[in-house]
Amino acid sequence: MSNASPLMQAALLTQFGAPLSIAAIEQPALRPGQVLVRVLASGVNPLDTKIQGGNAAHAQARLPAILGIDLAGVVEAVAPGETRFLAGDEVYGMTGGIGGVPGSLAQFAAVDADLLAHKPRTLDMRQAAALPLIFITAWEGLVERARVQAGQKVLVHGGAGGVGHIAVQIARSLGAQVYATGSADQKALIESLGATAIDYRSQTVDDYVQQYTGGQGFDVIYDTVGGATLDASFAAARRYVGHVVSCLGWGAHKLAPLSFRGATYSGVFTLLPLLTGEDRQRHGQIMREAARMADAGQLRVLMDGRRFTLEQVNQAHALVAEGQARGKLVIDIGQ
């Protein structure tokens, strides 16, 4: 009589820069505090493709790796003593794919229950799987770092992007006046989210700071672009009280323009709870906030309608890596 664990299909990264390969591996065993999730959908993020290409040392991937940071699915089993979730619950979260924690490109995942929340009732599995990383990143910046308040003027750089379009909606839900940069062809989308669109190609920083703040600067600026855009953020912060947040503060930047305005800066590194094991319950709490917003009609996620199975994961990763996705791409794992 065999005691071997049942097998599951998973996409494995065995060599950086190589395609993912589909393999039959053992289903994960549950440890205390975990739930076993039957994965139905896995959201694809640019970070996933950078990890695959060997260009994301900060994600601390360990080969062989199961990638896939974002997950939505159904609880199959719970570890003894775990009371927050029951078999059959629909759940979602940012649950693995980095730092040696197996990700969602597999039929099953053993997930730290702290990282999970019940899926929003108003979103399907694909929409739910598209949300976790981008929502957590946006929420940490606006709520936890900048503490956005009603009536403040908030500028989101890259308002039509993954993190950006979520940040616009979070800021709106908090009662802020929201402005967002984008290209001319993104104007209608940005306005549909409730923000004033700023064409960064046709308006200088001085132009839009003068037009929308009377030269005072914005109370909060969320940079989701990095590079020169972060430098522009420093020059657009409100004097004395302005706060700049960036989730892409990678480069070397002169802080003098920010200091001369008496303003402040903070960075967002969404991967920390997964990498360190610390404060994971906060990510579960943030996912509950996302569900609350979605079910209140305050949140929609821009989706790329193309469908991919686990066996087609490399095609999906290529589209994201090449910047060809129109909204979030999601892999269908099982139904």
Side-chain angles (χ1 to χ4, degrees), residues 89-140:
D89 284 354
E90 296 184 331
V91 294
Y92 76 138
M94 176 181 158
T95 60
I98 63 169
V101 182
S104 56
L105 288 175
Q107 290 176 309
F108 293 91
V111 176
D112 186 338
D114 281 345
L115 296 167
L116 286 174
H118 290 96
K119 180 184 77 65
R121 296 183 306 276
T122 52
L123 301 185
D124 63 26
M125 285 290 175
R126 288 172 49 79
Q127 292 167 322
L131 264 178
L133 174 62
I134 56 176
F135 188 93
I136 292 170
T137 304
W139 183 273
E140 285 188 359

Side-chain angles (χ1 to χ4, degrees), residues 184-228:
D185 61 353
Q186 294 168 335
K187 183 176 188 287
L189 169 59
I190 288 170
E191 289 177 346
S192 76
L193 297 171
T196 298
I198 296 172
D199 184 346
Y200 69 91
R201 291 194 179 106
S202 67
Q203 282 193 288
T204 68
V205 176
D206 287 344
D207 285 343
Y208 61 72
V209 168
Q210 185 61 44
Q211 181 176 352
Y212 296 116
T213 74
Q216 291 294 305
F218 294 89
D219 296 291
V220 173
I221 302 174
Y222 199 150
D223 160 47
T224 73
V225 181

Side-chain angles (χ1 to χ4, degrees), residues 303-314:
M303 302 285 294
D304 189 305
R306 288 171 283 189
R307 306 290 290 254
F308 298 89
T309 64
L310 187 61
E311 290 73 23
Q312 297 167 318
V313 63
N314 289 301

